[in-house]
Structures are given as structure tokens and as C-alpha cells.
Amino acid sequence: MSTGSAGHVARSTDRPHSETSRHTRLRTFLHTVDGVTIDSVYEPVTAVYDASAPPSRDLVFVVAHGFTGDVDRPHVRRVAEAFGRYGAVVTFSFRGHGASGGRSTVGDREVLDLAAAVTWARELGHARVVTVGFSMGGSVVLRHAALHGRGPGGAGSAGTGDAHTDAVVSVSAPARWYYRGTAPMRRLHWIVTRPAGRLVGRYGLRTRIHHREWDPVPLSPVEAVPRIAPTPLLIVHGDSDGYFPVDHPRMLAAAAGDHGELWLEPGMGHAEHAVGDELLGRIGDWAAARAG
């Protein structure tokens, strides 16, 4: 499903004045470089916060949801609310999800959606951007950071840094493509690869899935991770994840080497639904300390 370079920087449909807009909730459609409209929400720093950890006005979290999620899902809103105590938050619906256009490519072209959201966040005046992804979104933030980061081959290292990120958090992400080792992943592959499954995705899960196979196969998460350095990287995974067992985060951590951290969370399941408020707070603390 790849049809062009994922290293290009996307632009938003509008460019509000950063000094006023960064204090106001905004909702708009962004345009990716391949012409897909992405439903996106910007929320300024939450007014009520823990006085021991006041929020940063220059920090923004860009949240990449999991497969079948969207910007209005309660679990996505809960994550946004938690991070809003540390900085501003951009949430968006990946292509094929919610009110966004296009069809899902299950982690391939979605890197362009994230690039559009990060670029918008910087246009709003934020100097420090943290990308946080869950499950499919977790794989997307890894690939995005490899393509737009400060490491070898990243767009940021070439001086085109509008879409670069300053820290990366990947939660419940796969390390490799085409994994079918668990029952939930076998069901997901049926949904993605079979016509009947894509109908279930469209009408049962509100997710429109592209019928074409990947061509070429995109860079895998474990291949992307070494290219992220020196951008700080946090890998978070539950030891009770029903989709991806713990060999996935361990592979990612091994590929990251000294520049990455691994948090293997006892009793945690998969992605946004399994992330508790305490863990979101620790992620917020980590991001505020590491992002620039």
C-alpha cells in the first residue's frame, strides 16, 4: 500500500495565529501529503493540575490511537485528559477511522497522518513535541521518529524539522509485522485480509480498511528503532498483553540499546484500555523530563 515517500512533511488546512490559538480548543481537518483529510483536535494545557508538577506551556503530546480507535472514543479522551495535566494535547483519527478520510493501511501510510498532526502542533507554537502511540499507533510513532527524527536518515537530521519529535513513547506495539501467534491477532488478520472481515471492520468496528496489500512492505518497528537515536525513547508493554507477548517489547528494547527505556508493566493488558491513570502519570512525568 506504500505509494510514495513517508518522509515528507504534511501541512494543515489552516494556520491559526500561534499566540492566541495555543490557548483555545481547536478542531479541524488536516491534509496529509497524499491528500487524506485527518480529523484532529487541539486542547491547551488543562487549567487544573497537580501543583507539584505544573504543566509546560511549550510541551505538546501528540497521541496516536490503536486500530479501530478514533479521536472521540472514551479511552482516547481519557488519555488526552491525563496528558493535559503536563502540556497541550493533539489527538486525531487515523485514516479510515472516525471522521477522517481514506482507508486504513494498518500502520503503513498512517505515518503521514502523524506527521500532519506533529506539524500542526509545531505551527501552533509548541517547541517540544512528544509522540505517544498505542498498539498500531505505537508502531506508527516508532516509524515516524525514524523517518523524521534526528538520527541517521531522519528528516529532522536533514534540517526539515517541522514534523520531527523530541521524545517517543510506544505502548503495546508489535516488534515485527504479520504476527499471528495469538488468537486476537489471528482475528485481526482475518478482518484485514478477507472481504467479509473488512465488512465487519466497516460496519461493526467503524473502520474502513484498504483492500490492497503492502507494496513495498514498510520498515518494521524493530528495524525503525535503531534509527530513532538520539531522540529519547520509552517502550511500555504489559506482561498480560493478549495481542503481543513480551518478546515483542524485549526485541524493541534490544534494538534501542542504551538510548531506549523499557517498562514491562505487571498485570497490564493491551493498549489504551489497559493503561491506568497511575501509568499515564508516570509517562507524563517521563515525557516532560526527556523532551528537549
Side-chain angles (χ1 to χ4, degrees):
M1 284 180 278
S2 295
T3 57
S5 172
H8 293 169
V9 176
R11 296 291 179 183
S12 61
T13 56
D14 58 0
R15 297 188 186 187
H17 193 277
S18 63
E19 291 304 316
T20 55
S21 60
R22 66 186 293 179
H23 302 293
T24 307
R25 188 181 193 273
L26 301 171
R27 187 159 191 167
T28 190
F29 283 92
L30 308 178
H31 282 290
T32 66
V33 294
D34 61 344
V36 178
T37 55
I38 300 299
D39 185 19
S40 304
V41 176
Y42 171 81
E43 291 165 295
V45 175
T46 304
V48 178
Y49 57 87
D50 181 355
S52 66
S56 170
R57 297 290 173 180
D58 69 340
L59 177 65
V60 61
F61 293 80
V62 181
V63 178
H65 63 73
F67 185 62
T68 75
D70 66 59
V71 72
D72 292 316
R73 299 274 189 173
H75 56 275
V76 176
R77 304 283 12 114
R78 182 175 64 86
V79 169
E81 181 180 354
F83 291 150
R85 297 182 175 92
Y86 295 86
V89 182
V90 169
T91 50
F92 63 96
S93 297
F94 278 122
R95 61 185 63 204
H97 294 72
S100 291
R103 287 178 286 178
S104 174
T105 64
V106 200
D108 178 12
R109 304 295 287 177
E110 282 75 9
V111 71
L112 301 179
D113 309 345
L114 179 58
V118 170
T119 299
W120 187 44
R122 292 202 182 276
E123 289 174 348
L124 290 170
H126 291 281
R128 299 192 297 153
V129 178
V130 179
T131 52
V132 186
F134 297 85
S135 191
M136 180 188 76
S139 71
V140 173
V141 298
L142 296 175
R143 293 183 55 241
H144 168 268
L147 293 166
H148 292 276
R150 292 171 290 181
S157 63
T160 58
D162 281 353
H164 83 274
T165 185
D166 299 294
V168 185
V169 183
S170 179
V171 183
S172 302
R176 54 194 184 275
W177 302 137
Y178 303 112
Y179 177 73
R180 293 178 171 86
T182 58
M185 285 306 298
R186 288 190 288 273
R187 288 194 295 269
L188 186 146
H189 278 274
W190 178 82
I191 289 170
V192 170
T193 62
R194 301 298 180 87
R198 290 191 290 272
L199 285 174
V200 170
R202 175 181 287 269
Y203 296 108
L205 302 174
R206 296 189 297 172
T207 303
R208 306 174 306 280
I209 305 165
H210 209 296
H211 66 280
R212 295 195 183 99
E213 295 183 0
W214 287 339
D215 183 21
V217 175
L219 188 74
S220 73
V222 74
E223 292 171 325
V225 162
R227 306 187 188 190
I228 295 174
T231 302
L233 170 64
L234 174 62
I235 299 159
V236 181
H237 209 93
D239 67 2
S240 298
D241 192 308
Y243 286 78
F244 304 113
V246 295
D247 63 308
H248 285 262
R250 286 171 176 159
M251 286 179 65
L252 294 173
D258 292 339
H259 91 276
E261 295 182 42
L262 171 62
W263 294 357
L264 197 57
E265 297 294 312
M268 176 183 153
H270 186 68
E272 299 102 320
H273 293 284
V275 175
D277 292 341
E278 185 273 338
L279 176 54
L280 289 171
R282 281 194 281 126
I283 292 172
D285 288 333
W286 182 92
R290 300 298 196 281

